[in-house]
Amino acid sequence: MSRSVTQGLPRWTLVVPALAFLDLVGSWHRDLGMVLLLLVCIGLGAAVFAAVHHAEVVAHKVGEPFGTLILALAVTVIEVALIVTLMASGGDKAASLARDTVFAAVMITCNGILGLALVLGSLRHRVQVFRVQASYSALTVMTALVTLSLVLPTFTTSAAGPRFSPAQLAFAGVTSLVLYGVFVFIQTVRHRDYFLPVSADGDVDEDEDHHAEAPSTATALLSLGLLFVCLVSVVGLAKTVSPNLEHAVQSAGLPLSVVGVVIALLVLLPETIAAVRAALRNRLQTSVNLALGSALASIGLTIPAIALASIWLSGPLVLGLGGTEMVLFALTVVTSIITLSTGRATLLQGAVHLAVFSAFLFLAVSP
């Protein structure tokens, strides 16, 4: 890391957000040629790495689990804004956009991010530990939210197709927001100790991060602002390249839902990198907090936002999952229960989650 710093931050972490945002402004609503497309991709990757750095600075200042919560909330708020914007301009073609995005986020976080963190962390540390109380709490809320918001619409009879009636959608939105709010209260206030990283003997893990000097308040606030700029750039640049992705997908004869999966993968890159880095430092609890917390934030904030936006959105809103997606979700829940039941993780558990994630990707391409 560069030792040239401003406000306690490496200079590259100050320059990259500005350049990425300028890249976004310069490419917004433009046809991307080869050169501009290359610049957008470079800016997207650089913004991801800068976002991870600033998230870690903020996390070091506020401590866990607030740090992981800030990153999850920041990504999800911007993701929700992107979904609402695309639905407002997409008409009937965007009817299932919210469902596809939320389900992709659940599969990416609960299988992709968690599985990758388990595999890479176990390769370095053999066996890693985490708190069962925290993991089961998050998994319980996530299962309830997905079932009430994405599974139930397929079986209701008051609306044509896999959709909620206005009253049912309002109930789902309020319930999602309340459950997520209760979870955040439990995570940050009532049982905050459940979500702190632990060592092999079950005690709070006091590793080198705790002994390093915490950044100043001014540095932390600067990082928080730059984190927001980076995340805006990541989502905006991902949206900018989406027409090129859509054209490539259509040319290859693949389902349009593949575009949503790719965009979700790009948007969740900061959390993926942060989770893997935490696992490599033998802080698997932080990785679990990021994975499950991101899934909860995606559902708990997206469904209420969509319910509110549906007041002025004219197109249909399809939320109900199909049979294939429900099977994958059920497999994810069962696998997660087994993985999170002991408080100890090995390479095998991570491999199973990555296998489920691979099945999701394969079926997205070849339904």
Side-chain angles (χ1 to χ4, degrees):
M1 183 177 292
S2 173
R3 294 190 178 275
S4 299
V5 296
T6 303
Q7 287 286 335
L9 297 172
R11 287 200 179 120
W12 73 269
T13 64
L14 303 175
V15 173
V16 165
L19 292 179
F21 189 77
L22 290 175
D23 196 4
L24 172 60
V25 173
S27 61
W28 191 253
H29 287 312
R30 289 190 179 183
D31 293 331
L32 300 183
M34 185 60 66
V35 175
L36 192 54
L37 179 61
L38 180 61
L39 290 176
V40 168
C41 293
I42 292 175
L44 180 60
V48 166
F49 283 99
V52 173
H53 178 86
H54 289 299
E56 291 184 340
V57 171
V58 175
H60 191 192
K61 176 64 177 178
V62 301
E64 290 295 340
F66 296 99
T68 55
L69 179 64
I70 287 172
L71 180 57
L73 283 174
V75 169
T76 306
V77 167
I78 299 172
E79 181 182 350
V80 168
L82 178 59
I83 292 173
V84 173
T85 300
L86 291 176
M87 288 189 67
S89 59
D92 291 349
K93 294 189 299 182
S96 62
L97 178 63
R99 178 199 65 188
D100 295 340
T101 304
V102 170
F103 183 68
V106 170
M107 299 303 294
I108 291 169
T109 53
C110 294
N111 289 312
I113 295 178
L114 183 59
L116 191 61
L118 290 175
V119 166
L120 296 181
S122 298
L123 285 175
R124 173 171 291 187
H125 303 287
R126 295 183 65 86
V127 177
Q128 293 186 290
V129 297
F130 54 90
R131 294 183 184 271
V132 176
Q133 302 96 318
S135 306
Y136 261 31
S137 299
L139 182 61
T140 300
V141 178
M142 189 272 293
T143 303
L145 286 177
V146 174
T147 302
L148 292 174
S149 302
L150 301 182
V151 176
L152 200 57
T154 303
F155 301 98
T156 56
T157 59
S158 58
R163 294 186 286 170
F164 274 142
S165 68
Q168 291 168 341
L169 181 59
F171 175 81
V174 172
T175 302
S176 298
L177 193 60
V178 169
L179 280 178
Y180 183 66
V182 172
F183 174 78
V184 171
F185 174 72
I186 294 298
Q187 183 184 28
T188 58
V189 180
R190 180 59 63 89
H191 296 294
R192 178 174 174 264
D193 56 309
Y194 288 176
F195 297 86
L196 298 178
V198 292
S199 59
D201 57 6
D203 297 328
V204 175
D205 186 11
E206 297 287 347
D207 72 350
E208 66 274 6
D209 289 347
H210 295 278
H211 298 298
E213 183 180 355
S216 66
T217 300
T219 299
L221 290 175
L222 178 59
S223 278
L224 183 61
L226 292 174
L227 171 63
F228 182 79
V229 173
C230 288
L231 293 175
V232 169
S233 300
V234 168
V235 176
L237 292 173
K239 181 181 182 299
T240 299
V241 301
S242 62
N244 297 78
L245 290 174
E246 183 175 343
H247 177 71
V249 166
Q250 289 178 329
S251 300
L254 299 175
L256 282 178
S257 58
V258 172
V259 177
V261 175
V262 174
I263 296 300
L265 286 169
L266 293 173
V267 170
L268 288 169
L269 262 179
E271 290 159 307
T272 303
I273 296 174
V276 168
R277 291 177 66 173
L280 291 175
R281 296 199 303 268
N282 204 20
R283 295 169 68 81
L284 186 61
Q285 184 62 58
T286 298
S287 302
V288 174
N289 290 349
L290 273 169
L292 296 181
S294 298
L296 288 173
S298 181
I299 309 168
L301 296 178
T302 299
I303 300 303
I306 294 302
L308 185 61
S310 65
I311 297 174
W312 69 83
L313 291 176
S314 58
L317 177 61
V318 176
L319 287 178
L321 295 174
T324 301
E325 290 79 12
M326 283 190 276
V327 170
L328 287 172
F329 173 65
L331 180 58
T332 297
V333 172
V334 172
T335 302
S336 299
I337 290 174
I338 297 172
T339 297
L340 303 175
S341 62
T342 62
R344 302 175 70 85
T346 64
L347 177 63
L348 178 60
Q349 293 159 307
V352 172
H353 279 276
L354 287 182
V356 177
F357 181 61
S358 299
F360 163 70
L361 292 179
F362 175 76
L363 292 173
V365 174
S366 179

